[in-house]
């Protein structure tokens, strides 16, 4: 972040000029990609991410809020671009992939969301329109109750899953999207890496996987992800109670 803001870098007397130039160029590109996503109807949900800090015995000492500054956005946009590029490239050549599927929310959930926002004093308009929902999130970026409003919007969304039969990411406003950037910790990413490698070696003639395999892998990956999320939340709750 210091290099983006043209400020001194802590612990580094003089960063290499080429590295600084590359980081600033990446930042400019990331902001352009981000703006394009928002114009397409992507949801800019600003919900604070909390990091639990532990001492050497594993006891919680405090909670730190991780800000979503320009440096975080730069990494995020690069990851989103890579995920989309690989998914669209393979799909455009007729290869079935493990898509990261995020379906639109149910109409009943949107009705409940609008009622809850009205109780907070908001007049969001018709949030059944994805672009209107994106506009509402942008309009409330500096509102005192922003985090409450954005949390309500987040809770109205469906959980993203992995799918071998359907594609599309509502929250990111992407037609083709999959997970590609974390092969060391997510199995769907590893599957996509293997498919891409086979596709590149075979120049389009390889990379296909049996439909049955992808279906089973999608269901298993979704189940494991949700179990891990639930376990993580439960552990954080335990840490918070012990801290109190």
């Amino acid at each position: 972040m210091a290099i983006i803001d043209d400020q001194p870098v802590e612990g580094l007397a003089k960063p290499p000029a080429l590295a600084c130039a590359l980081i600033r160029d990446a930042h400019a590109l990331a902001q352009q990609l981000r703006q394009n996503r928002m114009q397409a109807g992507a949801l800019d949900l600003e919900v604070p991410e909390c990091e639990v800090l532990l001492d050497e015995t594993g006891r919680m000492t405090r909670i730190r809020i991780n800000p979503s500054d320009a440096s975080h956005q730069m990494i995020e946009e690069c990851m989103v671009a890579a995920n989309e590029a690989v998914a669209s490239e393979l799909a455009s050549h007729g290869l079935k992939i493990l898509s990261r599927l995020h379906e639109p929310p149910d109409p009943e959930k949107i009705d409940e969301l609008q009622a809850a926002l009205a109780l907070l004093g908001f007049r969001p308009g018709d949030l059944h329109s994805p672009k209107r929902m994106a506009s509402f999130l942008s309009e409330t970026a500096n509102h005192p109750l922003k985090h409450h409003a954005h949390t309500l919007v987040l809770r109205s969304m469906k959980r993203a899953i992995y799918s071998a039969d359907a594609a599309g990411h509502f929250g990111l406003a992407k037609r083709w999207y999959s997970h590609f950037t974390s092969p060391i910790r997510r199995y769907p990413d590893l599957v996509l890496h293997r498919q891409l490698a086979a596709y590149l070696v075979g120049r389009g003639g390889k990379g296909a996987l049996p439909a049955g395999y992808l279906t089973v892998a999608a269901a298993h990956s979704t189940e494991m992800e949700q179990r891990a999320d639930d376990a993580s939340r439960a552990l954080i709750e335990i840490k918070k109670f012990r801290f109190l």
Side-chain angles (χ1 to χ4, degrees), residues 7-117:
Q7 298 293 323
V9 179
E10 183 179 354
L12 192 61
K14 188 177 180 181
L18 179 57
C20 292
L22 288 173
I23 290 174
R24 293 189 183 109
D25 287 345
H27 164 65
L29 176 60
Q31 289 304 309
Q32 183 179 346
L33 291 171
R34 181 177 174 81
Q35 182 179 3
N36 291 343
R37 279 201 305 115
M38 299 309 154
Q39 291 176 349
L43 304 183
D44 187 13
L45 284 165
E46 292 191 34
V47 178
E49 290 191 6
C50 300
E51 180 182 3
V52 175
L53 300 181
L54 309 176
D55 62 18
E56 63 277 4
T57 67
R59 186 174 294 277
M60 177 177 167
T61 57
R62 65 188 180 97
I63 297 177
R64 178 172 62 193
I65 302 297
N66 289 329
S68 178
D69 57 23
S71 63
H72 289 79
Q73 293 173 5
M74 181 176 70
I75 300 299
E76 182 69 20
E77 292 303 327
C78 291
M79 291 174 61
V80 169
N83 289 341
E84 181 186 21
V86 174
S88 59
E89 174 67 16
L90 293 179
S92 67
H93 287 84
L95 295 176
K96 290 180 69 67
I97 61 173
L98 283 183
S99 294
R100 183 61 169 171
L101 175 64
H102 185 222
E103 297 178 294
D106 293 328
E108 296 81 5
K109 286 289 186 180
I110 298 299
D111 292 338
E112 294 173 5
L113 170 63
Q114 293 186 160
L117 290 172

Side-chain angles (χ1 to χ4, degrees), residues 5 25 51 61 120 148 161 163 167 187 215 232 235 242:
D5 292 337
D25 287 345
E51 180 182 3
T61 57
L120 293 177
H148 299 281
I161 62 172
S163 173
Y187 184 66
T215 300
S232 177
L235 178 60
R242 286 180 177 171

Side-chain angles (χ1 to χ4, degrees), residues 43 99-107 109-110 130 133 153-154 156-163 165-174:
L43 304 183
S99 294
R100 183 61 169 171
L101 175 64
H102 185 222
E103 297 178 294
D106 293 328
K109 286 289 186 180
I110 298 299
M133 183 178 290
V153 172
L154 179 63
S156 72
M157 298 290 112
K158 291 185 177 180
R159 294 181 77 162
I161 62 172
Y162 294 102
S163 173
D165 303 312
H169 200 292
F170 176 80
L172 295 175
K174 298 294 184 184

